[in-house]
Amino acid sequence: MTQPVSIIMIEDDEGHARLIERNIRRSGVNNEIISFANGTDAVKHLFGADGSGLVQKGNALLILLDLNLPDMTGIDILKQIKENKYLKASPVVVLTTTDDSQEIKRCYELGCNVYITKPVNYENFANAIRQLGLFFSVIQVPPATP
Amino acid sequence: MTAEWQRRRAFWQILLIAAGLLVLTVISAGSVYLVNKARDDSKWVVHTIEAENQINALLLEIRRAESATRGYLLTQGADFKADHDKAVAAIIPALDRLTRLTGDNPAQRESIEKLSAAIETRLGQFAREVDFVQQGQLDKATALVREAASADTTAEIGKVAAVMIQEEERLFRLRTVNSDRSQTLAASMTGIGSGLVVLLALISTWLVRRSAGARDEAEARLRDANVNLEAVVDERTADLREANNEIQRFAYIVSHDLRSPLVNIMGFTSELEELGGDIFRRIGGLTHVPADGPPPSTGEIALEGPDKQLSADFSEALGFIKSSIAKMDRLISAILNLTREGRREFQPEKIDTSELIEAIVSTLAHQAAEAQAEIHIAPLPDLVSDRLALEQIFSNLIDNAVKYLKPGTPGEIRIRGRTKLGYAIFEISDNGRGIDPKDHQRIFDLFRRAGTQDKPGQGIGLAHVRALVRRLGGTMSVSSELNTGSTFTITLPITWNTSNRNADQ
């Protein structure tokens, strides 16, 4: 069976969230997008009240993650996701304003699948998001461990 | 403890040593003098005793002669005669000796004269008596003895001798006292002198011990001060490092956080642009709708009149916004890069400077050819330093030299190097447009540029270069005049190590 992939967007900047959403839609991806403006809510949604991640068992997720959150760093969330047995298979796309090579390296080390720098040059940004949309549309998100 | 006090103490110590030496000298001289004097006095005492003895010996010989004469007179025995002759023969030398011994004393000399006269008389009498006895005229000899007895020459001799003995005894007493006094004086002198020397030595020792104590204390204080100083320096260094790190973090956070809203501004500006395009297309479509026919489906619809003007204004405003955003983004990126550079750890390694600069020059060969510039590289000293930092420093400077040549003049760029006192000094000089001296400070400031603004650039290069040179423990300066070219001088330590600068990273 094919389960629709839900996109979890963890992004504290409303403008960025809106821009990302628009561009995803513009590229023709119509999957459900669930937005969170802070880390705590996102973690609660992802891992459930007990923090085990059991709530997401069997759900196909794609996570868009901003690294600069008001209440925690995206790096921590990334680490938790990749350490959780129900969530570790979900692809994580890190979206951030920095192009600091050390930070990029660290994210890839922690298991992030794609790292996108939010460029000020909107054309590039829009392009990247659109490509991401194409990526979404073709990607076969592996079913989470049953 | 003041310098004045120390000087005074040193003065007193020298004075003490001088006093000690003086006392020793005086004691030595005094002792020698007094010992000599005592010996002299003793000699005089002995002399007196000798004189007294001599007087007694003389008297004895006279008595012997007298009694022998008498014996001869009574017995006419030849042995008495021999005895008499022997005694008489001894009298004259004894008298002579006595005269010599007492020659120094006028009173005794007078007595001696009297004594000599008396003795001579007495000896004459003896001789006559002996003659009479020998001739057998015993009566005459007896009468002569009586006459001699009545003249009392012997008594005279005895009296004079007694006076002389008395005189000698007086002298003996006097001289004994003198001698005793000299010896006592010598003894006391030695005693007092030794005591003084011991006292001075004690004071000196005390002073030396006190000054040694003061010195130890001063040393201890100096050590403390040193330790303190190090602690203070460490503390300050730590403060500075902390402050520097704070600035780095601050700059990083600020530039990072400034980018976030900029993404929105730029993004929604682009959205607006697209919206604007849509709106104007629609306006154009509406105005061009023929009253009866179908609206034009696709394609650019030319706007007319005020609509066209509105569209142009709209695009112009958006264009300014976008170019400003792009500029702001470049500035923020520059700050980000600088702070990132400031946090990068240096990896010192042995660097062939000539090779490094040749590599840089070869990457700039195209620009140099375009500007008709020749780049000359003189032999350069090698360094142990951070390769990336050196590459950035030199490529910025050479790039600048190529970039700011005088139009129309073939460029000539020279790179020279030498070493001095553990530092390598590099000079990059050109014959370009030069820099006004009033701008020499300004060009090293971030985002500041000088001269005609006809070349692209952010005003970052030299600020970055200077920051790097400083981090490498060096200095840099410029000397330049407008239209005559510029020379940038960089001084770098030949061997960079973490202790040179920012071991904090």
Side-chain angles (χ1 to χ4, degrees):
Chain A
M1 74 167 223
T2 322
Q3 196 191 1
V5 176
S6 4
I7 298 171
I8 311 274
M9 181 160 65
I10 307 167
E11 167 65 71
D12 66 310
D13 191 307
E14 274 182 60
H16 292 189
R18 190 91 186 91
L19 284 172
I20 292 163
E21 197 181 335
R22 268 197 200 191
N23 279 282
I24 289 173
R25 296 281 179 247
R26 203 169 283 161
S27 64
V29 174
N30 291 311
N31 301 48
E32 178 195 22
I33 297 178
I34 309 164
S35 290
F36 296 97
N38 63 63
T40 319
D41 290 348
V43 167
K44 204 181 278 172
H45 176 81
L46 285 174
F47 299 98
D50 58 350
S52 66
L54 197 64
V55 285
Q56 298 294 346
K57 188 183 171 192
N59 290 347
L61 300 177
L62 187 140
I63 298 155
L64 298 180
L65 179 62
D66 182 23
L67 288 189
N68 290 291
L69 296 169
D71 49 355
M72 61 179 75
T73 79
I75 298 263
D76 286 342
I77 299 178
L78 175 62
K79 209 150 76 185
Q80 283 182 47
I81 291 169
K82 289 301 167 187
E83 278 167 4
N84 187 286
K85 61 175 176 174
Y86 302 111
L87 291 168
K88 64 180 172 193
S90 311
V92 176
V93 177
V94 171
L95 287 159
T96 186
T97 48
T98 347
D99 55 355
D100 186 27
S101 58
Q102 280 195 323
E103 201 175 79
I104 296 173
K105 201 173 146 215
R106 183 153 165 68
C107 284
Y108 279 119
E109 272 167 10
L110 286 173
C112 115
N113 301 70
V114 183
Y115 187 102
I116 295 179
T117 308
K118 299 178 203 162
V120 173
N121 187 327
Y122 186 75
E123 274 71 39
N124 290 349
F125 182 38
N127 208 18
I129 296 287
R130 273 189 210 111
Q131 277 176 3
L132 190 61
L134 294 175
F135 171 73
F136 290 160
S137 56
V138 293
I139 198 169
Q140 274 296 322
V141 176
T145 30
Chain B
M1 167 177 16
T2 61
E4 174 62 30
W5 191 78
Q6 276 179 343
R7 262 205 302 282
R8 229 170 39 219
R9 204 179 55 192
F11 171 74
W12 275 112
Q13 277 174 355
I14 290 169
L15 200 72
L16 264 177
I17 289 171
L21 274 175
L22 193 72
V23 166
L24 264 178
T25 315
V26 167
I27 287 169
S28 304
S31 294
V32 168
Y33 169 74
L34 283 173
V35 164
N36 273 338
K37 192 163 178 293
R39 205 166 53 203
D40 234 34
D41 285 349
S42 314
K43 206 174 81 196
W44 279 112
V45 169
V46 170
H47 177 82
T48 312
I49 291 167
E50 251 178 69
E52 215 179 314
N53 274 345
Q54 199 57 43
I55 293 168
N56 284 329
L58 183 63
L59 283 178
L60 189 67
E61 289 302 326
I62 291 171
R63 293 263 155 75
R64 228 175 99 195
E66 201 175 314
S67 59
T69 313
R70 279 178 191 168
Y72 187 52
L73 183 63
L74 286 177
T75 63
Q76 284 97 41
D79 51 344
F80 281 112
K81 168 84 164 63
D83 206 11
H84 168 259
D85 288 348
K86 216 164 86 193
V88 168
I91 286 171
I92 299 301
L95 184 62
D96 284 349
R97 250 188 96 205
L98 185 62
T99 313
R100 266 204 319 280
L101 279 172
T102 54
D104 58 310
N105 192 328
Q108 293 291 68
R109 228 166 22 223
E110 213 175 292
S111 301
I112 288 270
E113 268 163 35
K114 277 190 213 161
L115 192 64
S116 300
I119 285 171
E120 226 167 286
T121 317
R122 195 75 187 96
L123 283 178
Q125 285 173 349
F126 285 156
R128 267 186 296 152
E129 277 170 26
V130 170
D131 279 350
F132 283 136
V133 172
Q134 270 177 335
Q135 286 157 22
Q137 301 169 337
L138 291 173
D139 301 344
K140 274 188 183 176
T142 313
L144 197 59
V145 170
R146 279 205 196 96
E147 185 191 334
S150 67
D152 209 7
T153 322
T154 311
E156 175 69 17
I157 290 172
K159 214 167 75 195
V160 173
V163 169
M164 283 183 77
I165 284 170
Q166 220 173 13
E167 170 69 10
E168 288 302 325
E169 265 173 9
R170 187 184 64 80
L171 282 173
F172 174 75
R173 274 196 305 278
L174 193 72
R175 284 170 181 169
T176 310
V177 168
N178 266 348
S179 171
D180 280 357
R181 208 175 47 215
S182 305
Q183 272 167 14
T184 315
L185 254 177
S188 358
M189 180 111 195
T190 311
I192 291 168
S194 308
L196 258 177
V197 167
V198 168
L199 186 70
L200 286 175
L202 281 177
I203 294 174
S204 230
T205 310
W206 178 68
L207 273 180
V208 165
R209 284 189 62 155
R210 210 176 59 166
S211 78
R215 193 198 54 214
D216 287 351
E217 197 188 323
E219 255 174 32
R221 272 216 297 269
L222 193 66
R223 246 193 332 269
D224 281 1
N226 264 339
V227 169
N228 248 347
L229 192 66
E230 264 167 41
V232 168
V233 167
D234 282 351
E235 205 176 298
R236 295 275 153 81
T237 314
D239 283 354
L240 283 176
R241 276 184 196 145
E242 187 53 40
N244 189 43
N245 288 345
E246 186 109 347
I247 289 172
Q248 296 276 2
R249 275 198 301 276
F250 177 75
Y252 183 80
I253 290 170
V254 163
S255 47
H256 189 268
D257 287 4
L258 281 179
R259 267 193 123 208
S260 204
L262 213 57
V263 169
N264 276 339
I265 297 171
M266 193 67 174
F268 285 103
T269 308
S270 296
E271 290 282 316
L272 267 184
E273 201 174 23
E274 271 191 34
L275 279 177
D278 289 349
I279 289 167
F280 283 111
R281 244 193 314 282
R282 189 168 287 192
I283 290 171
L286 288 176
T287 47
H288 279 81
V289 172
D292 47 352
S297 52
T298 50
E300 266 320 296
I301 298 148
L303 293 170
E304 277 169 3
D307 290 341
K308 192 178 176 185
Q309 185 60 39
L310 270 179
S311 167
D313 286 354
F314 190 86
S315 301
E316 191 192 45
L318 283 177
F320 276 118
I321 291 173
K322 285 175 85 172
S323 70
S324 296
I325 292 166
K327 186 169 180 197
M328 195 160 170
D329 182 48
R330 282 197 302 275
L331 299 185
I332 290 170
S333 300
I335 297 176
L336 251 175
N337 281 334
L338 275 182
T339 58
R340 231 175 251 165
E341 201 48 56
R343 295 197 296 183
R344 192 173 71 81
E345 249 180 87
F346 285 157
Q347 308 288 337
E349 57 176 298
K350 181 124 186 63
I351 290 165
D352 183 339
T353 316
S354 304
E355 197 182 293
L356 181 130
I357 288 185
E358 269 160 27
I360 293 169
V361 168
S362 67
T363 63
L364 291 169
H366 179 65
Q367 286 101 305
E370 261 185 8
Q372 293 178 305
E374 275 185 39
I375 303 176
H376 305 276
I377 307 170
L380 300 170
D382 290 349
L383 295 174
V384 174
S385 205
D386 183 74
R387 181 175 290 278
L388 192 58
L390 282 185
E391 272 174 6
Q392 288 176 340
I393 290 170
F394 284 113
S395 65
N396 262 297
L397 289 177
I398 299 169
D399 186 48
N400 275 356
V402 174
K403 200 158 140 190
Y404 298 108
L405 285 170
K406 238 182 317 194
T409 314
E412 222 179 72
I413 296 160
R414 290 181 188 281
I415 300 150
R416 285 182 295 258
R418 62 199 153 93
T419 58
K420 191 179 174 189
L421 300 171
Y423 282 85
I425 301 166
F426 297 98
E427 283 178 356
I428 292 112
S429 51
D430 60 58
N431 61 344
R433 55 164 82 162
I435 302 155
D436 195 320
K438 74 176 163 56
D439 288 329
H440 283 183
Q441 200 49 51
R442 200 180 131 81
I443 52 170
F444 292 110
D445 290 343
L446 192 58
F447 304 139
R448 297 289 173 270
R449 304 173 78 199
T452 325
Q453 304 290 309
D454 58 352
K455 303 277 180 186
Q458 308 293 322
I460 291 166
L462 284 177
H464 183 44
V465 167
R466 191 168 68 166
L468 282 175
V469 169
R470 280 184 176 161
R471 276 194 68 202
L472 285 174
T475 55
M476 91 178 277
S477 63
V478 62
S479 71
S480 177
E481 289 287 332
L482 266 182
N483 298 321
T484 57
S486 314
T487 301
F488 284 88
T489 308
I490 302 173
T491 308
L492 291 171
I494 289 175
T495 304
W496 185 86
N497 52 50
T498 41
S499 66
N500 278 21
R501 212 179 154 97
N502 63 297
D504 56 321
Q505 298 299 316

